[in-house]
């Protein structure tokens, strides 16, 4: 093992040694549970001080790749739990506690609305007259339709965005089909497609959304569906512009003689974004499924989202769900309706939107002041170009900051540019200091 480690080290610095060990662990050359050589043995073999190797070991421990057991030595940590899908599991990474965890992609709990008033409207008994009763509360459906970006033929409530997208895909695709996804994009989509035996066709995005010329080439492969995130795209924070939406619509229409894909839109952060709700459903209402989730704005644990689109597909989703969970609790639907309509919670969401926007700008400005190339993002996540992903992560770990590896968001390994995803919405203060650390990490090699 010692020879393997020595051969892998390209730079005899703490960062270089830690990066080499990280590559060996992630590549499988060092397996979970294996004991690492001692700090002194590695230092002697490399011709560096024990302190240099010790600093590398500390950085690896902070990002959850190894575990020090004192005199018993240091060991490669066990792999992720077996139930975690591979792409999602890679994003989840280690559970090591950091001083500032900017890797989660979750909202700031202090900016979620107070549930007290909404809970006061929940029935005191969880009763229902029939298992085949209404799937959606009429008041909630009216509220959602009033703000939908196009007129949906049907609308139903599901258990969050991923539940809606998973059930939509099950109703649309068959084994061996192809589905267009954004690249980089949300890793869970790749897991869903793999579980369904579907091939992902990655299409690169830029600052306005999916690139039209690349989508045109992808449509030549006759995909069954296209999945896009029109606002606060995860991981980049990019929001679709009106011009880009029109360009994508033109491309899709120009390829109608080749394919007729269903468009699935995941508007997962709409309530706390500043970008308008542009939708391809404006041009293709009969084959656009629009998903609106309230996890980022009103709380991940509410587990509730809405799906609107053509009746034929929505009916298939509802029919299959009847023999499973049946419906999303009308008690939860009552809570959501109250949160969307009661003045106190509406005000709280408006304030959260303002705060997230201010935090994105403050962090971006701090990054630029410290020499990084960056523009403010929408929502809670932002995307930062780095020289070396692993070196950046280890550099930040040494300062107690955890971020998400950019490579986790690509359908295929990326050659050339490297990135990290930062949950900027979790940065409450010290923007100059955090911006300086992030900018320095972007230059680490």
């Amino acid at each position: 093992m010692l020879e393997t480690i020595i051969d892998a080290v390209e730079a005899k610095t703490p960062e270089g040694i830690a990066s080499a060990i990280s590559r060996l662990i992630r590549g499988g050359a060092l397996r979970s549970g294996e004991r690492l050589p001692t700090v002194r043995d590695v230092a002697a073999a490399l011709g560096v001080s024990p302190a240099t190797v010790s600093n590398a070991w500390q950085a690896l421990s902070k990002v959850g790749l190894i575990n020090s057991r004192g005199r018993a030595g240091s060991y490669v940590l066990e792999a992720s739990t077996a139930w975690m899908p591979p792409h999602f599991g890679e994003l989840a990474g280690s559970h090591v506690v950091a001083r500032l965890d900017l890797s989660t992609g979750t909202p700031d709990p202090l900016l979620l609305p107070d549930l007290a008033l909404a809970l006061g409207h929940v029935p005191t008994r969880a009763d229902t007259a029939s298992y085949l009763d209404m799937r959606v509360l009429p008041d909630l459906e009216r509220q959602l339709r009033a703000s939908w970006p196009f007129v949906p033929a049907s609308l139903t409530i599901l258990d969050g965005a991923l539940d809606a997208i998973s059930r939509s895909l099950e109703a649309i695709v068959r084994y061996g089909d192809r589905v267009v996804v954004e690249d980089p994009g949300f890793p869970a989509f790749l897991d869903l497609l793999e579980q369904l035996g579907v091939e992902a066709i990655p299409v690169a995005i830029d600052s306005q959304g999916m690139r039209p010329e690349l989508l045109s080439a992808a449509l030549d492969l006759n995909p069954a569906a296209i999945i896009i995130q029109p606002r606060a795209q995860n991981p980049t924070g990019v929001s679709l512009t009106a011009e880009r939406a029109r360009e994508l619509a033109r491309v899709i229409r120009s390829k109608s003689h080749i394919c007729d894909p269903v468009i699935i839109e995941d508007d997962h952060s709409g309530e706390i974004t500043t970008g308008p709700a542009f939708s391809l459903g404006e041009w293709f209402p009969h084959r656009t499924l629009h998903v609106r989730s309230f996890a980022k704005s009103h709380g991940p644990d509410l587990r509730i989202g809405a799906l609107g689109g053509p009746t034929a597909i929505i009916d298939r989703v509802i029919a299959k769900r009847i023999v499973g969970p049946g419906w999303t609790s009308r008690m939860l639907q009552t809570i959501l309706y109250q949160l969307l309509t009661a003045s106190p919670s509406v005000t709280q969401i408006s304030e959260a939107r303002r705060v997230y926007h201010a935090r994105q700008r403050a962090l971006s400005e701090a990054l630029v002041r410290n020499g990084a190339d960056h523009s403010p993002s929408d929502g809670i996540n932002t995307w930062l170009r780095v020289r070396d992903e692993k070196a950046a992560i280890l550099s930040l770990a040494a300062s107690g900051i955890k971020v998400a590896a950019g490579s986790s968001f690509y359908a295929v390994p990326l050659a050339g540019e490297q990135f990290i995803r930062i949950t900027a919405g979790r940065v409450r203060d010290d923007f100059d200091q955090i911006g300086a650390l992030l900018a320095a990490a972007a230059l680490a090699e």
Side-chain angles (χ1 to χ4, degrees), residues 407 410-415:
S407 56
Y410 286 94
V412 293
L414 181 69

Side-chain angles (χ1 to χ4, degrees), residues 373-386:
D373 180 18
H374 189 265
S375 298
S377 302
D378 203 358
I380 65 173
N381 295 310
T382 195
W383 195 233
L384 178 64
R385 181 183 288 105
V386 298

Side-chain angles (χ1 to χ4, degrees), residues 111-319:
L111 295 179
L112 298 176
D114 188 345
L115 298 180
L117 181 62
L119 290 172
H121 290 81
V122 175
T124 57
R125 289 184 174 83
D127 189 23
T128 184
S130 168
Y131 290 123
L132 301 178
D133 220 346
M134 57 186 176
R135 327 313 293 174
V136 184
L137 293 181
D139 286 345
L140 177 58
E141 180 168 356
R142 282 191 291 272
Q143 177 67 24
L144 291 171
R145 283 182 174 276
S147 59
W148 215 254
F150 63 95
V151 180
S154 294
L155 188 146
T156 192
I157 298 296
L158 296 153
D159 299 336
L162 274 178
D163 183 43
I165 293 164
S166 173
R167 293 181 181 280
S168 296
L169 287 170
E170 289 173 354
I172 296 165
V173 303
R174 298 294 179 267
Y175 186 88
D177 279 348
R178 296 185 173 110
V179 170
V180 172
V181 295
E182 295 169 318
D183 201 38
F186 191 39
F189 295 163
L190 301 177
D191 287 321
L192 283 174
L193 297 179
E194 287 180 6
Q195 290 176 1
L196 292 168
V198 171
E199 178 186 353
I201 306 174
V203 172
I205 64 172
D206 59 21
S207 61
Q208 297 185 66
M210 190 175 279
R211 291 172 54 183
E213 76 280 10
L214 299 181
L215 174 61
S216 179
L219 292 177
D220 289 337
L221 299 174
N222 191 24
I226 303 169
I227 305 177
I228 65 172
Q229 292 184 320
R231 289 194 284 187
Q233 196 263 358
N234 191 353
T236 64
V238 165
S239 288
L240 192 66
T241 64
E243 179 183 0
R244 182 56 54 85
R246 286 192 294 270
E247 291 175 349
L248 295 179
R250 282 197 294 269
V251 167
I252 294 170
R253 184 170 286 120
S254 72
K255 297 287 182 172
S256 59
H257 63 290
I258 296 174
C259 61
D260 197 28
V262 174
I263 301 159
I264 303 175
E265 297 176 333
D266 173 27
D267 191 13
H268 59 93
S269 295
E271 299 295 317
I272 53 167
T273 60
T274 56
F278 297 119
S279 169
L280 294 176
E282 180 181 341
W283 294 273
F284 309 104
H286 302 300
R287 54 184 170 112
T288 298
L289 291 166
H290 188 82
V291 178
R292 179 168 295 174
S293 168
F294 301 92
K296 299 290 191 296
S297 55
H298 294 77
D301 208 36
L302 283 177
R303 311 313 306 144
I304 192 166
L307 173 67
T311 300
I313 300 177
I314 300 291
D315 280 353
R316 290 205 296 274
V317 170
I318 294 172

Side-chain angles (χ1 to χ4, degrees), residues 8-10 16 18-29 65 388 390:
V9 173
E10 298 172 357
S19 294
I21 298 292
S22 174
R23 289 193 295 269
L24 292 172
I25 292 173
R26 296 185 188 281
L65 291 176
D388 184 275
K390 293 183 176 63

Side-chain angles (χ1 to χ4, degrees), residues 353-429:
R353 185 185 307 113
R354 185 197 66 77
V355 171
Y356 284 130
H357 179 68
R359 289 177 180 179
Q360 287 275 17
R361 295 197 65 85
L363 185 60
S364 181
E365 290 168 359
L367 283 166
V368 171
R369 280 197 300 273
N370 286 280
D373 180 18
H374 189 265
S375 298
S377 302
D378 203 358
I380 65 173
N381 295 310
T382 195
W383 195 233
L384 178 64
R385 181 183 288 105
V386 298
R387 286 184 180 174
D388 184 275
E389 172 193 292
K390 293 183 176 63
I393 290 172
L394 289 167
S395 172
L396 290 167
S399 301
I401 298 175
K402 186 178 177 183
V403 295
S407 56
S408 301
F409 298 89
Y410 286 94
V412 293
L414 181 69
E417 293 184 325
Q418 298 186 46
F419 297 85
I420 55 174
R421 189 195 69 178
I422 305 159
T423 305
R426 304 280 298 209
V427 182
R428 297 170 181 165
D429 47 33

